[in-house]
Amino acid sequence: MATVLVTGANRGIGLELVRQYAANGWSVIATAREPEKAVELNKIAAEHKSRVEIIALDVTSEDAVEDLAEQLNGRAIDILVNNAATYPRQGVRVGELDYDAWGDTLETNLLGVMRVTEALLENVAKSERKQIVAISSGMGSLQAVADGSVATMGVAYQYRTSKAALNMAMLVLSKELAPRGISVVMISPGWVKTDMGGPNAALTPEVSVMGIRKVLASPPAEISGRFLSYDGSVWAW
């Protein structure tokens, strides 16, 4: 049975990833900061008792990440999905920038991903698929900003820079890990109706995740080092 680990699995895209992979027969390791409060996630785990395991994880905590690695005890992870992220709503424009929030955003969206990936690298390496996934965003595309996305999606300095930096880190990682046959891919889920995306977003989590899973079903080596949309199209850096 193939295994997928999803961070930030208590809601939105992460929750839907757990739901769909479990329904498709995968073994799922779902992490959340406060599992006891993740009502929907616990319901899914109850429905798939033998396939869904919930583990507490704060990606900003080195101790928590180390504890996760110890709990997994070398267990193979076919797909590691780095989904946990934050999106500040206040202090996001020049003249009112919240630098503490900016640091927190980078801590979660960039360093948290690297922290988890580094800790679980050998778990991925011993699996069949050997795939690392970073849930990125079109808001991290420099070309999209140059083409006018600030006017439509807002300035969002903290979030945009965190995702642009994430893309760079993952691209470099894909080159470093290529000799080991480990795939690293960045995926934008689209504008999704979640707590982060808001009620006016264009996509439901179900549609976005169906697309993400289809992309990830491709041969891992063929999509490594690429920044892709949930529908398989290529995002400009």
Side-chain angles (χ1 to χ4, degrees):
M1 185 184 299
T3 297
V4 59
L5 187 149
V6 181
T7 66
N10 57 304
R11 61 184 180 180
I13 293 166
L15 181 67
E16 187 61 27
L17 282 164
V18 172
R19 190 192 317 277
Q20 291 193 25
Y21 273 112
N24 202 43
W26 284 61
S27 174
V28 181
I29 303 166
T31 77
R33 282 183 299 176
E34 299 177 295
E36 67 281 1
K37 296 181 180 179
V39 176
E40 290 301 317
L41 179 58
N42 280 287
K43 286 182 181 178
I44 295 172
E47 293 170 5
H48 303 278
K49 293 182 180 179
S50 63
R51 292 201 294 273
V52 178
E53 177 182 2
I54 303 174
I55 300 178
L57 176 66
D58 177 353
V59 301
T60 69
S61 167
E62 291 187 14
D63 289 341
V65 173
E66 290 175 2
D67 287 346
L68 171 65
E70 289 178 6
Q71 288 183 64
L72 294 178
N73 192 29
R75 180 175 171 185
I77 298 172
D78 290 272
I79 305 180
L80 169 60
V81 183
N82 290 290
N83 169 72
T86 185
Y87 188 123
R89 301 290 182 180
Q90 304 296 323
V92 297
R93 303 179 66 87
V94 165
E96 57 184 52
L97 287 172
D98 185 332
Y99 290 96
D100 289 336
W102 204 334
D104 291 343
T105 304
L106 290 169
E107 186 66 49
T108 299
N109 297 2
L110 170 62
L111 301 184
V113 173
M114 290 303 298
R115 190 176 288 117
V116 171
T117 297
E118 188 173 30
L120 302 183
L121 182 58
E122 297 310 316
N123 301 74
V124 174
K126 71 188 298 184
S127 73
E128 290 289 331
R129 289 195 66 80
K130 297 180 175 64
Q131 192 163 47
I132 296 167
V133 182
I135 300 300
S136 185
S137 170
M139 291 184 74
S141 167
L142 275 67
Q143 187 61 55
V145 172
D147 290 342
S149 75
V150 167
T152 57
M153 299 298 290
V155 288
Y157 284 96
Q158 294 98 326
Y159 187 74
R160 286 185 183 278
T161 56
S162 73
K163 292 301 187 178
L166 173 64
N167 287 348
M168 174 61 81
M170 293 295 102
L171 180 57
V172 172
L173 186 66
S174 73
K175 304 304 181 185
E176 182 177 9
L177 297 183
R180 299 185 64 182
I182 298 174
S183 171
V184 182
V185 61
M186 296 134 277
I187 297 184
S188 169
W191 187 21
V192 186
K193 289 183 173 72
T194 62
D195 290 347
M196 185 180 294
N200 297 320
L203 300 171
T204 63
E206 293 81 3
V207 170
S208 174
V209 169
M210 284 177 63
I212 291 170
R213 289 179 52 237
K214 185 176 180 179
V215 170
L216 295 180
S218 305
E222 290 184 7
I223 59 174
S224 188
R226 304 184 74 187
F227 179 21
L228 303 173
S229 176
Y230 75 97
D231 62 5
S233 60
V234 178
W235 268 97
W237 298 110

